[in-house]
Amino acid sequence: MTRTVKVDWRVPSKEWEAFSEYVSREHGEIKGYVGREVEKAMREYMDADEFADIEERIDRLLRAAGRRPADAAEEKTLSESSVDSDETTRVRCRVDPDVKDEFSAYVKRETDDRLGIGLTRALKERRRGGRARRAGEKLRRIEDDAAGLLEELGSGDGLSLREKRTIAVCNDLSEQFTRSELESAIEIHAGGSDPTLRDYTERVTERLDVVSHPHNPDLFVPTERAEELASETDAASPSDPAIDRKPYENLTRDEKVHGVRLELARDAAKRSNGKAQFGTADIREEVFDGNAPASYARSLMHDAADADGFRIRSGSTGENRLAVTLTDAASDVLADAGVLANSKNDETTSTTNEDADGADRVEGADDMGGTNEVEQDDEDADAEFNRLLSARTPANAD
DNA sequence: GAACTACGTTCTCCTGCTGG
DNA sequence: CCAGCAGGAGAACGTAGTTC
């Protein structure tokens, strides 16, 4: 006899009571039959009976119509409230280990549900008539569905819960979508708290390879399309640093910190010694156009200091300032700042009143960048500067 | 006000024990 | 050997409080 393994999942109490009644009605008692009926429900719900192939073909149609097969079968009979808000019962029984493994894999691959909810759907299907009714409902749904494609569900084995939910959110979205649509989908599948929205926004946009529309930050479009739009309209390209293409409110903290480094590096590139400093006020005004609160700008400044070539130094008035020395900065920062490509046009100047340790931000500093008064010396200076910059990589950085 | 952190809750897996 | 029960651990999420 095949050894069985334990199932230990939670299902809504009401559904479990109904299933227990079904078992009792079918067999005259519950004891000894629960495990068998749960196993049958699992087999039927996935693809282990003789009509599995037919339902699989229906599922393909559903996927092409932008629906999840599991949802399609249950949307009218198992409301979200019955799944999410009802009191749950911990269901523990024993089933064939292969059936349990296959069922778990099936739920993970084909749905965004946790296993207990997958079992709930299976139990409900078992007591309500099974595959025939499910297939009928799916066919009715296809008639009403709009276009859309499910992707990557076939390779969902071993995915974490976050990854499964990310896929589920992706499947709810069309080729392009608004921020509110994205956040609604995240709220349905993962939650609506700010940390959750931030986390899943990043995961989903990365997975779908979409970025903000060059002219509408609340609209997400495929990266390729955004690049086309950017080239047509001279807007920021998706490959540009976030600080150059996203409004302040849509930047993640990491992007803000990186943006601070880039702006300071660009400022330093205008100076002959490749050094510059930003105070809190500079970060607020120069980097974030006055959007960042002073305290927050200070926080970002300290984070930005945690990189090669950047450090905090005290100004003459005791104010902390973020300082950069380009020759010590990592190549990825220089590349994003455009310093490697642009330095030959920007950084040579005649005179400054900067001290030897780092350039205090000076009045008229911007005017000094890009001047031509010593053009004949620029090439030599550029060559030396670029040699220093090129030699600086994350690998050999201190 | 934004970001971070600690804590509580829920869910699932794992392990061990007991009784038939 | 199998079924049922129970406790602990870890993952994931939400919320309230804290920090700057």
Side-chain angles (χ1 to χ4, degrees):
Chain A
M1 187 175 177
T2 304
R3 291 182 65 90
T4 56
V5 294
K6 296 171 183 173
V7 167
D8 183 8
W9 298 331
R10 284 184 177 273
V11 304
S13 299
K14 286 181 181 175
E15 177 54 38
W16 184 244
E17 289 171 12
F19 188 75
S20 296
E21 288 177 13
Y22 162 78
V23 174
S24 179
R25 193 166 58 244
E26 290 293 311
H27 300 282
E29 62 178 326
I30 293 177
K31 190 176 181 180
Y33 293 98
V34 169
R36 297 181 205 179
E37 285 295 330
V38 168
E39 186 177 310
K40 285 180 182 177
M42 289 179 175
R43 285 182 189 276
E44 187 175 278
Y45 189 71
M46 41 186 189
D47 293 323
D49 64 13
E50 62 268 37
F51 297 108
D53 181 58
I54 294 174
E55 190 171 24
E56 171 57 27
R57 294 182 187 185
I58 297 173
D59 286 348
R60 289 182 189 175
L61 288 172
L62 275 165
R63 290 193 183 97
R67 292 286 187 177
R68 291 190 300 281
D71 278 357
E74 294 296 341
E75 198 162 283
K76 294 175 183 173
T77 58
L78 190 61
S79 67
E80 287 301 323
S81 61
S82 71
V83 170
D84 294 335
S85 60
D86 280 358
E87 182 183 344
T88 60
T89 295
R90 194 171 174 172
V91 173
R92 287 159 150 166
C93 61
R94 284 182 173 272
V95 300
D96 184 293
D98 291 338
V99 173
K100 183 188 177 186
D101 289 345
E102 289 169 14
F103 182 78
S104 298
Y106 179 86
V107 171
K108 291 174 182 175
R109 184 177 67 249
E110 300 292 342
T111 79
D112 61 309
D113 297 325
R114 60 176 189 272
L115 295 176
I117 297 303
L119 178 61
T120 303
R121 298 186 193 283
L123 299 181
K124 190 156 192 167
E125 279 306 301
R126 174 68 183 165
R127 69 180 177 81
R128 286 175 60 91
R131 189 184 299 280
R133 184 194 61 79
R134 196 163 70 231
E137 286 193 8
K138 287 178 178 179
L139 286 171
R140 279 193 291 278
R141 292 289 304 283
I142 292 173
E143 294 172 356
D144 301 329
D145 275 328
L149 295 173
L150 293 177
E151 294 179 354
E152 301 184 51
L153 288 179
S155 58
D157 287 340
L159 297 176
S160 70
L161 187 61
R162 272 196 174 96
E163 289 168 329
K164 285 183 286 181
R165 289 178 175 173
T166 299
I167 291 174
V169 173
C170 291
N171 288 333
D172 278 0
L173 299 168
S174 50
E175 186 174 337
Q176 63 181 37
F177 47 87
T178 64
R179 183 173 296 277
S180 63
E181 288 171 340
L182 169 62
E183 293 185 348
S184 294
I186 294 171
E187 194 164 354
I188 288 170
H189 294 287
S193 69
D194 287 345
T196 300
L197 291 176
R198 277 198 302 273
D199 183 22
Y200 279 92
T201 295
E202 195 168 341
R203 289 170 181 272
V204 169
T205 54
E206 182 178 344
R207 185 177 189 87
L208 292 177
D209 192 22
V210 298
V211 295
S212 294
H213 188 286
H215 301 297
N216 182 358
D218 288 329
L219 177 64
F220 292 93
V221 298
T223 301
E224 193 175 331
R225 176 63 182 147
E227 287 173 346
E228 290 174 6
L229 291 167
S231 63
E232 290 170 4
T233 60
D234 217 21
S237 164
S239 57
D240 290 342
I243 191 70
D244 295 334
R245 57 182 166 81
K246 286 186 177 180
Y248 172 79
E249 59 269 22
N250 290 341
L251 291 168
T252 66
R253 184 179 179 85
D254 286 346
E255 289 170 342
K256 289 170 185 167
V257 170
H258 192 57
V260 170
R261 293 185 188 127
L262 299 191
E263 293 300 329
L264 185 55
R266 287 165 180 167
D267 203 52
K270 298 172 183 174
R271 303 165 186 276
S272 60
N273 63 355
K275 297 180 179 180
Q277 294 184 21
F278 273 174
T280 302
D282 298 320
I283 292 172
R284 289 186 65 192
E285 299 301 326
E286 302 288 332
V287 183
F288 300 118
D289 296 328
N291 287 307
S295 58
Y296 189 44
R298 194 173 302 115
S299 165
L300 297 173
M301 180 176 76
H302 283 276
D303 283 4
D306 187 21
D308 293 329
F310 294 84
R311 65 192 177 92
I312 298 292
R313 65 190 296 266
S314 296
S316 56
T317 61
E319 179 201 18
N320 286 336
R321 301 175 67 82
L322 178 67
V324 64
T325 303
L326 284 186
T327 50
D328 292 337
S331 59
D332 59 332
V333 172
L334 300 176
D336 281 355
V339 171
L340 290 177
N342 300 331
S343 58
K344 65 176 178 289
N345 297 323
D346 294 332
E347 85 284 2
T348 53
T349 61
S350 54
T351 58
T352 73
N353 55 359
E354 296 150 0
D355 63 39
D357 192 28
D360 276 321
R361 190 167 173 78
V362 292
E363 292 297 321
D366 288 346
D367 296 333
M368 290 184 276
T371 57
N372 297 323
E373 55 188 287
V374 289
E375 272 189 39
Q376 66 273 25
D377 297 328
D378 282 355
E379 286 189 13
D380 289 342
D382 290 345
E384 174 63 11
F385 190 39
N386 279 333
R387 185 188 65 75
L388 289 169
L389 295 178
S390 299
R392 191 69 189 180
T393 66
N396 62 15
D398 291 336

